[in-house]
Amino acid sequence: VQLVESGGGQVEAGGSLRLSCAASGYADKRFCIGWVRQAPGKEREGVAATLADGGITYYADSVKGRFTISRDTAMNTAFLQMSNLKPEESGTYYCASGPSALCQGDIWFLPSVVGYWGQGTQVTVS
């Protein structure tokens, strides 16, 4: 399985960015996919996740109302639209995927649960 990310970059506070993550190698569409971010000196935080074949979505409380996760099921691609970005949200954003049965808000992003990681993309909010 491979997760290839695109998007990210630098934006002013209050601006928007869109991340994409293309998943390949899965035998079916029953997997959880989302983004985990890590700011310098902070622990990794699960930002948003969804099931690749639709249904549930999860958001960290800090991004609710500003971030939207979506997917193109046919292309096995997930998107994270980020709006009203804040400087403290700068960091590396990793696409992550794991088992659909563990696609739950409080655990899906844990290293013991995530099966695959993308290469990470830098987001800088100034």
Side-chain angles (χ1 to χ4, degrees):
V1 173
Q2 277 193 318
L3 303 177
V4 179
E5 302 180 51
S6 60
Q10 186 168 351
V11 67
E12 292 185 351
S16 299
L17 285 172
R18 188 191 197 210
L19 307 181
S20 300
C21 178
S24 61
Y26 274 102
D28 56 36
K29 298 185 187 301
R30 293 194 56 78
F31 58 93
C32 182
I33 188 167
W35 272 266
V36 178
R37 70 184 174 195
Q38 184 159 27
K42 296 185 178 180
E43 294 185 356
R44 288 191 176 186
E45 176 186 18
V47 176
T50 186
L51 288 174
D53 58 355
I56 58 174
T57 57
Y58 293 105
Y59 295 97
D61 288 342
S62 60
V63 306
K64 286 179 180 177
R66 299 185 297 115
F67 289 16
T68 302
I69 190 168
S70 60
R71 73 217 176 277
D72 180 331
T73 304
M75 299 297 293
N76 263 6
T77 300
F79 306 96
L80 184 67
Q81 179 67 46
M82 306 183 291
S83 301
N84 195 17
L85 282 160
K86 305 174 182 180
E88 57 265 34
E89 295 181 308
S90 297
T92 303
Y93 283 66
Y94 297 92
C95 181
S97 68
S100 58
L102 298 180
C103 202
Q104 301 171 31
D106 55 348
I107 65 171
W108 76 268
F109 57 93
L110 297 177
S112 58
V113 175
V114 171
Y116 303 97
W117 295 93
Q119 77 277 15
T121 187
Q122 185 66 32
V123 171
T124 302
V125 186
S126 58

mmCIF file of all heavy atoms in Angstrom, residues 3 26 29-34 48-53 56 58 95-104 108-109 113-116:
data_model
loop_
_atom_site.group_PDB
_atom_site.id
_atom_site.type_symbol
_atom_site.label_atom_id
_atom_site.label_comp_id
_atom_site.label_asym_id
_atom_site.label_seq_id
_atom_site.Cartn_x
_atom_site.Cartn_y
_atom_site.Cartn_z
ATOM 1 N N LEU A 3 0.615 5.627 0.068
ATOM 2 C CA LEU A 3 -0.162 6.845 0.240
ATOM 3 C C LEU A 3 0.688 7.988 -0.288
ATOM 4 O O LEU A 3 1.782 8.235 0.210
ATOM 5 C CB LEU A 3 -0.503 7.077 1.709
ATOM 6 C CG LEU A 3 -1.261 5.962 2.428
ATOM 7 C CD1 LEU A 3 -1.459 6.324 3.895
ATOM 8 C CD2 LEU A 3 -2.609 5.699 1.775
ATOM 9 N N TYR A 26 -4.591 -1.161 -1.993
ATOM 10 C CA TYR A 26 -5.615 -1.812 -1.191
ATOM 11 C C TYR A 26 -6.449 -2.739 -2.076
ATOM 12 O O TYR A 26 -6.789 -2.389 -3.198
ATOM 13 C CB TYR A 26 -6.528 -0.787 -0.529
ATOM 14 C CG TYR A 26 -6.021 -0.270 0.790
ATOM 15 C CD1 TYR A 26 -5.416 0.982 0.897
ATOM 16 C CD2 TYR A 26 -6.145 -1.043 1.952
ATOM 17 C CE1 TYR A 26 -4.953 1.459 2.108
ATOM 18 C CE2 TYR A 26 -5.684 -0.568 3.169
ATOM 19 C CZ TYR A 26 -5.093 0.682 3.243
ATOM 20 O OH TYR A 26 -4.639 1.150 4.447
ATOM 21 N N LYS A 29 -12.104 -1.253 -0.697
ATOM 22 C CA LYS A 29 -12.223 0.127 -0.202
ATOM 23 C C LYS A 29 -12.606 0.186 1.270
ATOM 24 O O LYS A 29 -13.041 1.207 1.750
ATOM 25 C CB LYS A 29 -13.257 0.872 -1.059
ATOM 26 C CG LYS A 29 -12.838 0.952 -2.519
ATOM 27 C CD LYS A 29 -13.795 1.792 -3.324
ATOM 28 C CE LYS A 29 -13.476 1.724 -4.809
ATOM 29 N NZ LYS A 29 -12.114 2.196 -5.101
ATOM 30 N N ARG A 30 -12.428 -0.920 1.964
ATOM 31 C CA ARG A 30 -12.775 -0.924 3.364
ATOM 32 C C ARG A 30 -11.540 -0.610 4.200
ATOM 33 O O ARG A 30 -10.886 -1.502 4.765
ATOM 34 C CB ARG A 30 -13.371 -2.271 3.775
ATOM 35 C CG ARG A 30 -14.722 -2.536 3.113
ATOM 36 C CD ARG A 30 -15.435 -3.682 3.771
ATOM 37 N NE ARG A 30 -15.615 -3.482 5.205
ATOM 38 C CZ ARG A 30 -16.549 -2.694 5.740
ATOM 39 N NH1 ARG A 30 -17.360 -2.000 4.963
ATOM 40 N NH2 ARG A 30 -16.657 -2.593 7.051
ATOM 41 N N PHE A 31 -11.215 0.673 4.264
ATOM 42 C CA PHE A 31 -10.135 1.112 5.121
ATOM 43 C C PHE A 31 -10.425 2.530 5.583
ATOM 44 O O PHE A 31 -11.232 3.246 4.992
ATOM 45 C CB PHE A 31 -8.770 1.025 4.422
ATOM 46 C CG PHE A 31 -8.651 1.811 3.143
ATOM 47 C CD1 PHE A 31 -8.155 3.102 3.157
ATOM 48 C CD2 PHE A 31 -9.023 1.250 1.935
ATOM 49 C CE1 PHE A 31 -8.026 3.823 1.976
ATOM 50 C CE2 PHE A 31 -8.908 1.964 0.749
ATOM 51 C CZ PHE A 31 -8.407 3.255 0.770
ATOM 52 N N CYS A 32 -9.769 2.893 6.644
ATOM 53 C CA CYS A 32 -9.892 4.219 7.239
ATOM 54 C C CYS A 32 -8.752 5.076 6.702
ATOM 55 O O CYS A 32 -7.616 4.583 6.548
ATOM 56 C CB CYS A 32 -9.793 4.097 8.755
ATOM 57 S SG CYS A 32 -9.988 5.638 9.677
ATOM 58 N N ILE A 33 -9.031 6.315 6.389
ATOM 59 C CA ILE A 33 -7.985 7.198 5.879
ATOM 60 C C ILE A 33 -8.179 8.585 6.451
ATOM 61 O O ILE A 33 -9.316 9.037 6.646
ATOM 62 C CB ILE A 33 -7.978 7.216 4.330
ATOM 63 C CG1 ILE A 33 -6.764 7.973 3.792
ATOM 64 C CG2 ILE A 33 -9.282 7.787 3.789
ATOM 65 C CD1 ILE A 33 -6.537 7.750 2.299
ATOM 66 N N GLY A 34 -7.097 9.253 6.742
ATOM 67 C CA GLY A 34 -7.201 10.582 7.323
ATOM 68 C C GLY A 34 -5.855 11.273 7.399
ATOM 69 O O GLY A 34 -4.877 10.829 6.789
ATOM 70 N N ALA A 48 -8.441 14.558 11.097
ATOM 71 C CA ALA A 48 -9.710 14.151 10.506
ATOM 72 C C ALA A 48 -9.539 12.787 9.853
ATOM 73 O O ALA A 48 -8.449 12.453 9.379
ATOM 74 C CB ALA A 48 -10.193 15.168 9.466
ATOM 75 N N ALA A 49 -10.608 12.029 9.837
ATOM 76 C CA ALA A 49 -10.553 10.698 9.228
ATOM 77 C C ALA A 49 -11.918 10.336 8.678
ATOM 78 O O ALA A 49 -12.950 10.868 9.114
ATOM 79 C CB ALA A 49 -10.100 9.647 10.241
ATOM 80 N N THR A 50 -11.907 9.411 7.728
ATOM 81 C CA THR A 50 -13.152 8.925 7.150
ATOM 82 C C THR A 50 -12.934 7.511 6.638
ATOM 83 O O THR A 50 -11.779 7.068 6.478
ATOM 84 C CB THR A 50 -13.620 9.838 5.997
ATOM 85 O OG1 THR A 50 -14.898 9.415 5.538
ATOM 86 C CG2 THR A 50 -12.637 9.787 4.836
ATOM 87 N N LEU A 51 -14.004 6.817 6.402
ATOM 88 C CA LEU A 51 -13.907 5.521 5.760
ATOM 89 C C LEU A 51 -13.807 5.724 4.258
ATOM 90 O O LEU A 51 -14.528 6.549 3.698
ATOM 91 C CB LEU A 51 -15.128 4.657 6.083
ATOM 92 C CG LEU A 51 -15.213 4.117 7.505
ATOM 93 C CD1 LEU A 51 -16.549 3.413 7.726
ATOM 94 C CD2 LEU A 51 -14.060 3.164 7.781
ATOM 95 N N ALA A 52 -12.942 4.981 3.609
ATOM 96 C CA ALA A 52 -12.723 5.152 2.175
ATOM 97 C C ALA A 52 -13.981 4.876 1.365
ATOM 98 O O ALA A 52 -14.182 5.460 0.294
ATOM 99 C CB ALA A 52 -11.585 4.246 1.709
ATOM 100 N N ASP A 53 -14.845 3.992 1.862
ATOM 101 C CA ASP A 53 -16.065 3.689 1.109
ATOM 102 C C ASP A 53 -17.268 4.469 1.633
ATOM 103 O O ASP A 53 -18.408 4.171 1.303
ATOM 104 C CB ASP A 53 -16.358 2.187 1.127
ATOM 105 C CG ASP A 53 -16.506 1.632 2.533
ATOM 106 O OD1 ASP A 53 -16.290 2.381 3.498
ATOM 107 O OD2 ASP A 53 -16.843 0.445 2.668
ATOM 108 N N ILE A 56 -18.804 7.252 8.005
ATOM 109 C CA ILE A 56 -18.427 8.068 9.144
ATOM 110 C C ILE A 56 -17.265 9.007 8.837
ATOM 111 O O ILE A 56 -16.441 8.747 7.959
ATOM 112 C CB ILE A 56 -18.044 7.183 10.341
ATOM 113 C CG1 ILE A 56 -16.897 6.240 9.957
ATOM 114 C CG2 ILE A 56 -19.243 6.386 10.831
ATOM 115 C CD1 ILE A 56 -16.376 5.443 11.121
ATOM 116 N N TYR A 58 -14.547 11.734 11.231
ATOM 117 C CA TYR A 58 -14.131 12.201 12.542
ATOM 118 C C TYR A 58 -13.292 13.461 12.383
ATOM 119 O O TYR A 58 -12.508 13.564 11.443
ATOM 120 C CB TYR A 58 -13.300 11.136 13.271
ATOM 121 C CG TYR A 58 -14.072 9.908 13.632
ATOM 122 C CD1 TYR A 58 -13.893 8.721 12.916
ATOM 123 C CD2 TYR A 58 -14.983 9.912 14.676
ATOM 124 C CE1 TYR A 58 -14.604 7.587 13.249
ATOM 125 C CE2 TYR A 58 -15.704 8.765 15.005
ATOM 126 C CZ TYR A 58 -15.503 7.619 14.282
ATOM 127 O OH TYR A 58 -16.216 6.493 14.606
ATOM 128 N N CYS A 95 -0.706 11.860 5.795
ATOM 129 C CA CYS A 95 -1.840 11.008 5.463
ATOM 130 C C CYS A 95 -1.594 9.649 6.104
ATOM 131 O O CYS A 95 -0.453 9.146 6.100
ATOM 132 C CB CYS A 95 -1.950 10.869 3.950
ATOM 133 S SG CYS A 95 -3.347 9.847 3.414
ATOM 134 N N ALA A 96 -2.646 9.067 6.658
ATOM 135 C CA ALA A 96 -2.501 7.794 7.343
ATOM 136 C C ALA A 96 -3.706 6.920 7.040
ATOM 137 O O ALA A 96 -4.814 7.430 6.873
ATOM 138 C CB ALA A 96 -2.384 8.012 8.841
ATOM 139 N N SER A 97 -3.486 5.624 6.978
ATOM 140 C CA SER A 97 -4.608 4.712 6.739
ATOM 141 C C SER A 97 -4.478 3.499 7.644
ATOM 142 O O SER A 97 -3.380 3.141 8.079
ATOM 143 C CB SER A 97 -4.680 4.287 5.275
ATOM 144 O OG SER A 97 -3.569 3.465 4.939
ATOM 145 N N GLY A 98 -5.620 2.893 7.890
ATOM 146 C CA GLY A 98 -5.632 1.744 8.776
ATOM 147 C C GLY A 98 -6.920 0.970 8.638
ATOM 148 O O GLY A 98 -7.733 1.237 7.757
ATOM 149 N N PRO A 99 -7.135 -0.012 9.502
ATOM 150 C CA PRO A 99 -8.307 -0.875 9.397
ATOM 151 C C PRO A 99 -9.614 -0.123 9.639
ATOM 152 O O PRO A 99 -9.701 0.715 10.539
ATOM 153 C CB PRO A 99 -8.063 -1.942 10.469
ATOM 154 C CG PRO A 99 -7.108 -1.316 11.415
ATOM 155 C CD PRO A 99 -6.270 -0.386 10.619
ATOM 156 N N SER A 100 -10.617 -0.453 8.852
ATOM 157 C CA SER A 100 -11.905 0.225 8.982
ATOM 158 C C SER A 100 -12.542 -0.036 10.344
ATOM 159 O O SER A 100 -13.210 0.842 10.894
ATOM 160 C CB SER A 100 -12.848 -0.226 7.865
ATOM 161 O OG SER A 100 -13.040 -1.622 7.897
ATOM 162 N N ALA A 101 -12.315 -1.211 10.912
ATOM 163 C CA ALA A 101 -12.923 -1.542 12.199
ATOM 164 C C ALA A 101 -12.418 -0.660 13.326
ATOM 165 O O ALA A 101 -13.070 -0.531 14.365
ATOM 166 C CB ALA A 101 -12.663 -3.016 12.531
ATOM 167 N N LEU A 102 -11.265 -0.043 13.148
ATOM 168 C CA LEU A 102 -10.686 0.813 14.183
ATOM 169 C C LEU A 102 -10.754 2.286 13.787
ATOM 170 O O LEU A 102 -10.017 3.109 14.329
ATOM 171 C CB LEU A 102 -9.240 0.393 14.458
ATOM 172 C CG LEU A 102 -9.070 -1.034 14.994
ATOM 173 C CD1 LEU A 102 -7.599 -1.347 15.222
ATOM 174 C CD2 LEU A 102 -9.858 -1.242 16.269
ATOM 175 N N CYS A 103 -11.644 2.610 12.850
ATOM 176 C CA CYS A 103 -11.791 3.995 12.403
ATOM 177 C C CYS A 103 -12.688 4.723 13.407
ATOM 178 O O CYS A 103 -13.838 5.060 13.109
ATOM 179 C CB CYS A 103 -12.382 4.042 11.007
ATOM 180 S SG CYS A 103 -12.038 5.583 10.106
ATOM 181 N N GLN A 104 -12.145 4.935 14.583
ATOM 182 C CA GLN A 104 -12.871 5.605 15.650
ATOM 183 C C GLN A 104 -12.095 6.838 16.079
ATOM 184 O O GLN A 104 -10.862 6.834 16.066
ATOM 185 C CB GLN A 104 -13.031 4.652 16.843
ATOM 186 C CG GLN A 104 -13.765 3.372 16.479
ATOM 187 C CD GLN A 104 -13.723 2.351 17.597
ATOM 188 O OE1 GLN A 104 -13.681 2.714 18.767
ATOM 189 N NE2 GLN A 104 -13.731 1.088 17.237
ATOM 190 N N TRP A 108 -7.957 6.059 15.835
ATOM 191 C CA TRP A 108 -7.601 5.721 14.463
ATOM 192 C C TRP A 108 -6.191 6.164 14.096
ATOM 193 O O TRP A 108 -5.560 5.560 13.234
ATOM 194 C CB TRP A 108 -8.607 6.323 13.465
ATOM 195 C CG TRP A 108 -8.419 7.796 13.257
ATOM 196 C CD1 TRP A 108 -9.039 8.798 13.938
ATOM 197 C CD2 TRP A 108 -7.538 8.428 12.334
ATOM 198 N NE1 TRP A 108 -8.587 10.006 13.491
ATOM 199 C CE2 TRP A 108 -7.681 9.817 12.507
ATOM 200 C CE3 TRP A 108 -6.651 7.955 11.361
ATOM 201 C CZ2 TRP A 108 -6.962 10.731 11.751
ATOM 202 C CZ3 TRP A 108 -5.922 8.861 10.612
ATOM 203 C CH2 TRP A 108 -6.087 10.242 10.807
ATOM 204 N N PHE A 109 -5.692 7.225 14.764
ATOM 205 C CA PHE A 109 -4.428 7.833 14.392
ATOM 206 C C PHE A 109 -3.253 7.324 15.250
ATOM 207 O O PHE A 109 -2.110 7.752 15.053
ATOM 208 C CB PHE A 109 -4.508 9.349 14.537
ATOM 209 C CG PHE A 109 -4.896 9.791 15.922
ATOM 210 C CD1 PHE A 109 -3.935 10.085 16.868
ATOM 211 C CD2 PHE A 109 -6.224 9.900 16.290
ATOM 212 C CE1 PHE A 109 -4.277 10.497 18.140
ATOM 213 C CE2 PHE A 109 -6.598 10.301 17.558
ATOM 214 C CZ PHE A 109 -5.613 10.596 18.479
ATOM 215 N N VAL A 113 -2.260 1.624 15.597
ATOM 216 C CA VAL A 113 -3.428 1.336 14.759
ATOM 217 C C VAL A 113 -3.152 1.627 13.281
ATOM 218 O O VAL A 113 -3.581 0.884 12.406
ATOM 219 C CB VAL A 113 -4.647 2.151 15.228
ATOM 220 C CG1 VAL A 113 -5.833 1.961 14.286
ATOM 221 C CG2 VAL A 113 -5.020 1.756 16.664
ATOM 222 N N VAL A 114 -2.449 2.713 13.009
ATOM 223 C CA VAL A 114 -2.172 3.108 11.623
ATOM 224 C C VAL A 114 -1.332 2.033 10.937
ATOM 225 O O VAL A 114 -0.321 1.587 11.460
ATOM 226 C CB VAL A 114 -1.452 4.460 11.572
ATOM 227 C CG1 VAL A 114 -0.976 4.755 10.154
ATOM 228 C CG2 VAL A 114 -2.359 5.573 12.080
ATOM 229 N N GLY A 115 -1.790 1.641 9.747
ATOM 230 C CA GLY A 115 -1.040 0.632 9.005
ATOM 231 C C GLY A 115 -0.040 1.237 8.031
ATOM 232 O O GLY A 115 1.036 0.678 7.805
ATOM 233 N N TYR A 116 -0.406 2.398 7.472
ATOM 234 C CA TYR A 116 0.442 3.002 6.452
ATOM 235 C C TYR A 116 0.457 4.521 6.628
ATOM 236 O O TYR A 116 -0.548 5.131 7.011
ATOM 237 C CB TYR A 116 -0.081 2.639 5.058
ATOM 238 C CG TYR A 116 -0.163 1.150 4.845
ATOM 239 C CD1 TYR A 116 -1.359 0.468 5.034
ATOM 240 C CD2 TYR A 116 0.969 0.420 4.477
ATOM 241 C CE1 TYR A 116 -1.427 -0.909 4.858
ATOM 242 C CE2 TYR A 116 0.900 -0.950 4.302
ATOM 243 C CZ TYR A 116 -0.297 -1.606 4.501
ATOM 244 O OH TYR A 116 -0.365 -2.961 4.336
#
